[in-house]
Each structure stands twice: as structure tokens, then as C-alpha cells.
Amino acid sequence: MSDLLWPGDERAGDVFTDAAVCAAMTRVEAAWLSALVLHGVATPDARDDLDGLVGPDDVAGVAAGAESGGNPLIPLLELLRTRLGARNPVAASWLHRGLTSQDVVDTGLVLCLRDAADRIGDDLAAQAAVLARLAGEHRATAMAGRTLTQYAVPITFGLKAAGWLTGVLDARDRLASAADLPSQVGGAAGSLAAPVALAGSPAAAGDLIETTAEILGLPVRDPWHTARAPLTGFADALVTCTDAWGRIANDVLAGSRPEIHELSEGAVAGRGGSSAMPNKRNPVLSVLVKRAALAAPFLAATVHAGAAAAVDERPDGGWHVEWATLRTLARRTVTAGSQTAELLAGLRVDTVRMTANLDTARPGIDAEQRSIDPGAASGDPYPGATDRIIDALIARASGVPPKKRGEGADC
């Protein structure tokens, strides 16, 4: 999959492609079929893993058939039944029995979102490691702090990196919580009527649902046909990621301006060029990360709008608007996560320019410090003033519980 108008989309690879969605829905059908056999609802000869029945070459046909029923599971199921019937008619007769389209589509989406979360989580971990290192290495690298675009007070680049790290760690924690997405099995109207009738009792139906979720590696919860918090929460977590990365990109974009030149992206052959000005090397990664941060909130808002439009026992459009929106948001977030990880890994910090800019800002930039301590020597920020912040964030990034206030020799 590629997107000509979203440069870098290829970084997302197979995450949430049409083929991945078909494969995920097929996995859901296979897991349910296995549960039916394991619990004796279906006969043993109905066992089948559905492997090899549908592949990337079938995506166009499934997509073309989706319009007639309003969702992609219907033509996919028809294809699965036809091909499975040729090799295992018994399994074909049990396929999808007790499920509804929404069960399979929702759980398939969950599987695709979980794959996206895995990719993003890896990049967040890499970003946190780089930022923890930068914060530690530059805890004493003095630079001009800026607020509302103007010189404010002296800070250190270590503190700036620690601020970036705060956003990345918040995103990491938010995503880890939101990515614990549950399976969805509720039957035609979320009442479990068909699974109970099929299994013989509510308890037996519950066993089928739990086994299906276990096969898929997902937690179980009661049907959430029209209660879409799992998906809105995940969308919000993705926006928390792009928010954090956008903040980093903005600082790099400002810091790489020729008149400031404190930061710059690592040099990569062929990147950052201009079609008309050969003298330019644009901070392309930062530009593309900022682009994702600007677009993401509106996609999440669409997911919320779909949830707010829920009506009856299956929404008439509110459910349908989620699918492509979540796919777009997930792929763009995966792409931006990869770009941010590369940006930080290659980031160049010009400490000489930071010192020169700080000197240029004096004496005005020292006004607050002098107003509080008239005898303060002009120079760097107060030694150790931000060490506590930096050390706590480095500890958080590494999973080490921070010391409580009052502990240690630095209290």
C-alpha cells in the first residue's frame, strides 16, 4: 500500500492494509470455528484453520462486493464459504454460525489496531531512550529559553529534551492502556441470542466467546456494539502520540532556522532538497511529523462523531465511518512514529550556537534571576536547578520508580 499524497506512508508497511483487514477478519472467523469445535458445538470434522483460502489477490473482489451489503465481511464470507466448501464442506456449514458482521468487522479492526500499537510502541521506546540520553548529556548545556516566541530565561538543552521526553512517556503510557482492546461478540443485536441458542446456555456461549478471544490473544468484555469507548480511546491515544511528536517537530523546525541554527536534522543523501533552490536543505522529517500532528485530531474527532451517532443496536453510518478513519489515523501515526524516531536518532545539537544565542540575549534574559537575586553572577542557569526534573524523567523512561521527595542526599 502506498499513498502518493502522504509522503512516508510506505513506512507503515502492511499495517492496516486492505489485505491485512481481510486476513484479520479471516482470523476471527477461524478462531470462532475452532471454539465451536473445541467446545463440542460443532463436530470434530468441522475443524479448519482457513489458511490459504484468501490472499492479497482477492482484495479487489472483496472491496467491489462490499457495497452491496454495506460492509466487507459479507463478500469475504461468501468467498470463504465457497473455497472452504470445496475442501471441507462440514467446516463451511459451521462457518460464521452464531456471529454477525459487526462481530467480525469490529474484532478484525481490533487486531489491526493492535498491530499498529505494537509498531508505535517500539518507536516510542526508541524515542524515549534517545531523549533520556540527550537530557542526561545536556543537563548543563545552557541555552536561551523562549516563551511566546521571545527570549525568556536561560535554560539547558537537557531540560528541553526532558520536556520532549515527558510528552513521549505520556504517549507511551496512554497507548499501552488503550491498546488493551477487547474482542467483540454479541450477535445480531448485541444480545448474544444466537451464540446462546447455538451453545445451549449463556454459560456455554460465554465459554465460546472466551475461547475465541484467547485464540486471538484479546481480552473479553460484554458486547460493545453501540458503546464505542474502546475505539475512541484508542484514537485519542494515537493523537496523544502525534501531539508529543508535533511538539518535538515544532522545536526542531524553529531551532533549525538559519538565524537560530541550534538544531538540525541529520544529513541523509537526497533528503531535504528543493526543486528550485539547490542551496536549501529543508528539515523534511520535522515538516512531515508536524503534518501528521495537525491532521490527527480531526480524524479522532470523526471516530467520536461516529460514536455519538450510535443508534438502535447497530448505527446507520456511525459504525461505518469508523473503519477507514481508524485505518488512516493508525497508518499515519505509525508513519509519524517512525519519522520521529529517525529524526531524534540523527538530531544534531549545536552547543556553540546555543551559547552564542544566549550571549546575544543578555543582559535582558537574566532579568528575572537578577530581580530575585541581585547578587547573582551573570552566566548559566542555576546549577542543578533542573536536575531533579531530568533525573525523574530518565528514571521514568527506564522504568525505575522515582525517589520520593525527601529521599536521597539532594533533598
Side-chain angles (χ1 to χ4, degrees):
M1 182 172 179
S2 62
D3 188 338
L4 183 66
L5 300 181
W6 196 263
D9 177 74
E10 70 279 356
R11 289 174 181 255
D14 294 333
V15 171
F16 232 131
T17 60
D18 285 346
V21 174
C22 285
M25 291 191 295
T26 301
R27 286 179 60 198
V28 176
E29 293 285 2
W32 181 254
L33 182 61
S34 294
L36 293 176
V37 173
L38 287 170
H39 288 280
V41 177
T43 56
D45 51 350
R47 186 183 303 275
D48 199 295
D49 57 16
L50 309 188
D51 280 354
L53 291 177
V54 175
D57 292 342
D58 297 306
V59 168
V62 172
E67 185 178 17
S68 62
N71 75 68
L73 186 276
I74 295 173
L76 176 65
L77 185 59
E78 181 180 355
L79 186 61
L80 287 171
R81 281 177 171 151
T82 298
R83 292 181 178 174
L84 183 59
R87 79 181 189 197
N88 190 338
V90 177
S93 70
W94 283 98
L95 192 65
H96 193 70
R97 195 180 298 188
L99 296 177
T100 192
S101 296
Q102 187 169 0
D103 295 330
V104 183
V105 172
D106 281 355
T107 307
L109 290 176
V110 162
L111 292 174
C112 290
L113 290 172
R114 186 178 62 178
D115 289 344
D118 289 342
R119 283 281 306 276
I120 297 164
D122 289 343
D123 282 325
L124 286 168
Q127 295 161 20
V130 172
L131 289 172
R133 175 180 59 78
L134 288 172
E137 289 179 357
H138 291 281
R139 66 173 65 236
T141 301
M143 65 177 295
R146 300 172 176 87
T147 60
L148 304 181
T149 76
Q150 305 299 301
Y151 289 134
V153 297
I155 61 168
T156 69
F157 181 66
L159 179 64
K160 180 176 284 291
W164 295 349
L165 179 57
T166 300
V168 167
L169 294 178
D170 288 346
R172 178 196 67 180
D173 296 346
R174 182 78 178 271
L175 181 67
S177 175
D180 195 28
L181 291 161
S183 63
Q184 159 81 309
V185 176
S191 65
L192 294 174
V196 170
L198 189 66
S201 72
D207 291 340
L208 287 176
I209 293 168
E210 289 182 8
T211 297
T212 301
E214 182 178 353
I215 292 171
L216 296 171
L218 299 174
V220 179
R221 67 169 273 181
D222 291 331
W224 43 281
H225 273 56
T226 53
R228 310 306 281 175
L231 299 185
T232 57
F234 191 88
D236 290 343
L238 295 182
V239 175
T240 302
C241 293
T242 58
D243 286 349
W245 302 332
R247 184 267 176 94
I248 295 169
N250 288 332
D251 275 352
V252 175
L253 288 167
S256 64
R257 291 176 180 271
E259 61 271 26
I260 298 176
H261 200 60
E262 296 173 347
L263 301 170
S264 59
E265 294 185 2
V268 175
R271 178 180 291 162
S274 166
S275 65
M277 294 168 282
N279 58 300
K280 292 189 70 179
R281 190 169 71 81
N282 298 313
V284 173
L285 286 177
S286 300
V287 170
L288 296 180
V289 170
K290 179 174 183 176
R291 162 205 64 176
L294 292 172
F298 301 98
L299 293 167
T302 298
V303 180
H304 278 280
V311 62
D312 300 324
E313 282 61 57
R314 189 175 306 171
D316 52 352
W319 175 50
H320 305 74
V321 77
E322 294 172 346
W323 313 334
T325 305
L326 284 168
R327 190 246 292 281
T328 300
L329 178 57
R331 284 189 63 86
R332 289 181 177 181
T333 307
V334 170
T335 297
S338 173
Q339 291 167 332
T340 304
E342 183 179 343
L343 167 64
L344 291 174
L347 187 67
R348 295 179 175 181
V349 181
D350 191 333
T351 59
V352 174
R353 191 61 177 261
M354 287 179 176
T355 299
N357 287 338
L358 180 56
D359 289 342
T360 299
R362 289 196 159 107
I365 200 168
D366 296 315
E368 181 192 62
Q369 185 172 325
R370 290 181 178 277
S371 70
I372 296 172
D373 181 4
S378 177
D380 295 340
Y382 282 113
T386 57
D387 281 348
R388 183 188 296 276
I389 297 171
I390 293 171
D391 289 341
L393 284 165
I394 291 174
R396 182 181 168 196
S398 63
V400 177
K403 289 188 292 186
K404 294 180 181 178
R405 189 173 296 277
E407 293 181 347
D410 61 343
C411 63

